[in-house]
Amino acid sequence: MSPTTQDRTPAPAHRLLPTPAGRTHLVEQGPHDGPLVLLLHGFPESWYAWRHQLPVLAAAGYRAVAIDVRGYGRSSKPESVDAYRMLDLVADNVAVAEALGGRPAVVVGHDWGATIAAVSALTRPDVFGAVGLLGVPYTPPGGPRPSEVFARMAGEGTGEEFYVSYFQRPGRAEAEIEPDVRGWLAGFYAALSADTMPAPGAPDPHFVGAGGTMRERFPAGVLPSWLGERDLDVLAGEFERTGLTGALNRYRNMDRDWADLAGFAGAAIKQPSLFIGGARDASLAWLADAVKAYPETLPGLRGSHILDGCGHFVQQERPDDTNRILLDWLASLPR
């Protein structure tokens, strides 16, 4: 029996590249002369979030590259909180694309990675010729100051705090998470996955009660179907080694990003784009108006896909659907 194309695809290779962060760790698979597809993970993950996409993209002839965003995994972790502002992360992506000779590159992101991908395409269209967004819709820069928006999310008099606000003070979320990283991550992933998220009417895990923790609202003792024990070991092992501060510092720069990107207020992303979301992802409910605005904000949109029965972790909960949609979209782009 002859091997399949995927069987013949070289194994993924780990590399460290110099970038403004210091060094960026990446995992690449596929032919070096193939079109570059840069994959950006979200919180709280790593390059490993793209384990189902790397071999499939490689087998289709793409040079698939998943990075550890600065502050995560084996990438450098600058000490200063303001070293995690959005334009610094864009600069890391540009450095990776240029080092790999992949301009123009396609950039695809999930969760925070989707926002980083969007801003990369918005501010550096000379480097990123197309953008794919998973989980989090594109919202143009501008509008009210983010800290003010998040402070209002819980509503007056509820005594609750939105998780983004909860993450703002250095050390507070770390004190909750780091004594039991594996257990906290298991609960977080379960809380946002379609098959294990809390039932309607249960306390919302995106909010923290007065004097409480996020974890007390997470499901306990259950893993979502996409997350095996070995997968959890890989994801938790990185954070047990590095701590969570680098990852959380992304949230602590949202007001700085708002100021840094003031010149792009209301700007559309004109390159070819793609959106994939989970029908049970709270992000779609919060940002429903952003999806409705796509004809104006993403004029190059070539597909907006909402996957029924899917939660937040789109490419891991529904890898086959995600891979099919990505490949169809990539095939439609100029090569």
Side-chain angles (χ1 to χ4, degrees):
M1 183 173 65
S2 62
T4 64
T5 300
Q6 188 164 321
D7 291 335
R8 296 193 299 268
T9 302
H14 293 254
R15 295 177 62 182
L16 287 166
L17 292 178
T19 61
R23 295 201 297 174
T24 292
H25 170 249
L26 61 85
V27 178
E28 62 177 326
Q29 194 167 5
H32 284 191
D33 59 352
L36 176 62
V37 181
L38 185 64
L39 304 169
L40 310 178
H41 66 82
F43 174 90
E45 299 178 283
S46 70
W47 73 268
Y48 191 73
W50 300 101
R51 63 195 177 280
H52 302 299
Q53 284 67 53
L54 286 167
V56 172
L57 294 177
Y62 297 96
R63 188 179 189 182
V65 174
I67 72 167
D68 282 335
V69 174
R70 72 163 66 187
Y72 286 84
R74 304 180 208 176
S75 292
S76 294
K77 298 158 191 65
E79 184 173 353
S80 174
V81 172
D82 68 2
Y84 295 83
R85 60 212 307 155
M86 184 63 70
L87 291 180
D88 289 330
L89 304 182
V90 171
D92 292 340
N93 297 338
V94 170
V96 169
E98 291 182 338
L100 298 178
R103 298 176 58 174
V106 176
V107 61
V108 178
H110 169 254
D111 183 72
W112 259 123
T115 305
I116 299 166
V119 178
S120 296
L122 177 67
T123 60
R124 293 303 304 267
D126 56 317
V127 178
F128 301 105
V131 59
L133 310 176
L134 276 62
V136 176
Y138 173 60
T139 55
R145 185 181 295 273
S147 59
E148 297 172 357
V149 173
F150 298 130
R152 294 194 296 267
M153 287 286 287
E156 292 290 336
T158 64
E160 296 196 333
E161 187 176 18
F162 191 49
Y163 78 99
V164 177
S165 299
Y166 178 71
F167 285 166
Q168 292 305 303
R169 190 171 76 229
R172 179 164 64 161
E174 289 93 328
E176 174 186 341
I177 302 168
E178 291 178 355
D180 178 20
V181 169
R182 193 178 192 277
W184 194 92
L185 290 177
F188 183 90
Y189 298 144
L192 274 64
S193 298
D195 59 344
T196 48
M197 63 177 53
D204 191 334
H206 297 93
F207 295 85
V208 182
T213 64
M214 290 184 68
R215 183 171 181 169
E216 64 193 25
R217 296 188 175 188
F218 294 165
V222 61
L223 292 181
S225 58
W226 61 266
L227 184 68
E229 294 286 351
R230 180 185 173 277
D231 298 319
L232 182 57
D233 286 343
V234 172
L235 291 161
E238 293 290 76
F239 290 111
E240 287 169 343
R241 180 174 55 82
T242 65
L244 271 291
T245 296
L248 290 163
N249 280 345
R250 173 83 289 275
Y251 291 92
R252 295 163 183 162
N253 279 279
M254 298 181 76
D255 281 355
R256 294 185 181 95
D257 299 336
W258 177 78
D260 290 343
L261 295 169
F264 292 90
I269 295 175
K270 299 178 181 179
Q271 298 97 306
S273 56
L274 171 73
F275 178 72
I276 310 173
R280 301 192 65 193
D281 188 345
S283 298
L284 285 186
W286 299 330
L287 297 172
D289 288 344
V291 175
K292 292 177 183 177
Y294 278 167
E296 291 75 40
T297 61
L298 294 176
L301 186 68
R302 298 192 177 189
S304 180
H305 305 264
I306 308 301
L307 304 182
D308 289 336
C310 183
H312 180 66
F313 300 99
V314 179
Q315 79 272 33
Q316 297 177 88
E317 291 188 53
R318 300 283 287 277
D320 292 342
D321 290 330
T322 299
N323 291 343
R324 173 182 53 79
I325 293 168
L326 280 175
L327 288 176
D328 288 347
W329 174 65
L330 289 168
S332 77
L333 303 176
R335 293 188 64 160

